[in-house]
Amino acid sequence: MMLDSNIIIISGPSGAGKSSLCNELLKHTNNVYFSISSTTRKMREGEIDGVHYHFITENEFLDGIKNNIFLEWAKVHNNYYGTQNSQVINALNSGKIVLFDIDIQGQKSIKKHYPNATSIFITTPNKSILESRLKSRALDNQKIIEDRLELAFNEMQGIDNFDFIIINDDFNNAFDGFLGIVKSIKFKNTKSKSQKILQLWQK
Ligand code: 5GP
């Protein structure tokens, strides 16, 4: 049976440490499936097609939208990003926890489809720390960093809609919190879970 309480969505400004936290989590767990989004953005150094993203062309993406293959999609930083429905459903059906690293537009759509999903917002304590992290990772040029900072501010406006907030000022502390939340979802109550337990009690 598909359990939408097994869905974890993480969002937050680029550079806040979402990818590092997800990578660390995958090292510590064996029942978490990281949802690999499709994107039209250029591959960055160190990224692998089919691992970090499915890197596809804009035409392929637009065909995907037409053919309804995406659970949700959004245009972020002028590139398309989307989550394919089939891979999520397969992972949930096999009892895995599905982890999404998506923006706040994606978080809203997934919560609409899967109301029992848990959402976590990850951010830095303030804007200047984010700026220095974006500069030090040197993945993007100055213009892109400025765009990302502006988008970070927009992204922050969605913070109220999240179940948990992790301020990533110390990686180990942030990771402890993240792991704790992931471990706790096994115990999350849902209507179907409590009904099932009540039925067993009636026997
Ligand atoms: P980046 O280019 O830094 O990998 O990601 C840019 C933004 O796109 C991040 O905020 C990331 O969470 C978001 N993103 C990645 N995949 C998806 C997706 O499938 N759907 C949506 N809505 N956002 C995504």
Side-chain angles (χ1 to χ4, degrees):
M1 196 196 58
M2 196 180 77
L3 279 176
D4 69 345
S5 56
N6 275 352
I7 292 178
I8 298 181
I9 306 160
I10 68 163
S11 304
S14 292
K18 289 174 295 177
S19 311
S20 310
L21 287 167
C22 287
N23 290 338
E24 195 62 19
L25 182 75
L26 295 173
K27 281 190 218 153
H28 280 74
T29 50
N30 53 17
N31 64 334
V32 176
Y33 170 79
F34 179 74
S35 162
I36 304 163
S37 299
S38 303
T39 184
T40 59
R41 103 151 145 66
K42 278 207 201 106
M43 209 187 285
R44 292 192 190 121
E45 216 179 296
E47 285 183 327
I48 302 167
D49 187 27
V51 174
H52 299 95
Y53 283 104
H54 300 293
F55 293 95
I56 62 175
T57 64
E58 192 158 318
N59 279 341
E60 285 170 328
F61 201 100
L62 296 175
D63 277 348
I65 296 175
K66 239 192 274 162
N67 296 327
N68 233 346
I69 66 163
F70 296 115
L71 165 61
E72 64 78 39
W73 63 269
K75 210 169 182 182
V76 190
H77 311 304
N78 268 325
N79 291 304
Y80 288 99
Y81 292 84
T83 311
Q84 286 191 33
N85 221 345
S86 55
Q87 56 184 22
V88 173
I89 290 172
N90 288 344
L92 287 175
N93 280 336
S94 66
K96 296 222 178 234
I97 290 175
V98 179
L99 177 66
F100 293 95
D101 172 352
I102 55 178
D103 80 330
I104 57 169
Q105 309 170 67
Q107 181 260 355
K108 258 197 193 151
S109 331
I110 295 202
K111 270 275 197 182
K112 221 190 257 167
H113 277 86
Y114 298 117
N116 291 310
T118 295
S119 58
I120 310 172
F121 195 88
I122 295 171
T123 186
T124 54
N126 57 48
K127 195 171 166 182
S128 61
I129 293 181
L130 184 71
E131 184 170 9
S132 57
R133 280 198 200 162
L134 285 173
K135 282 183 177 155
S136 70
R137 73 176 187 176
L139 289 174
D140 302 310
N141 65 35
Q142 186 57 31
K143 168 81 180 69
I144 292 180
I145 289 177
E146 276 159 26
D147 289 350
R148 284 181 185 264
L149 276 174
E150 198 185 313
L151 277 157
F153 188 77
N154 295 340
E155 198 73 351
M156 289 300 295
Q157 307 312 307
I159 200 166
D160 265 356
N161 298 324
F162 282 75
D163 301 314
F164 292 92
I165 296 169
I166 296 178
I167 305 285
N168 186 8
D169 49 356
D170 173 272
F171 185 80
N172 290 333
N173 279 343
F175 181 68
D176 271 356
F178 186 33
L179 189 61
I181 297 166
V182 173
K183 284 186 172 166
S184 77
I185 67 159
K186 187 163 119 191
F187 306 102
K188 191 164 175 170
N189 195 7
T190 63
K191 262 244 143 55
S192 66
K193 231 187 235 182
S194 53
Q195 290 305 314
K196 225 196 271 166
I197 295 170
L198 279 175
Q199 272 169 14
L200 289 173
W201 268 76
Q202 272 156 8
K203 283 184 183 159

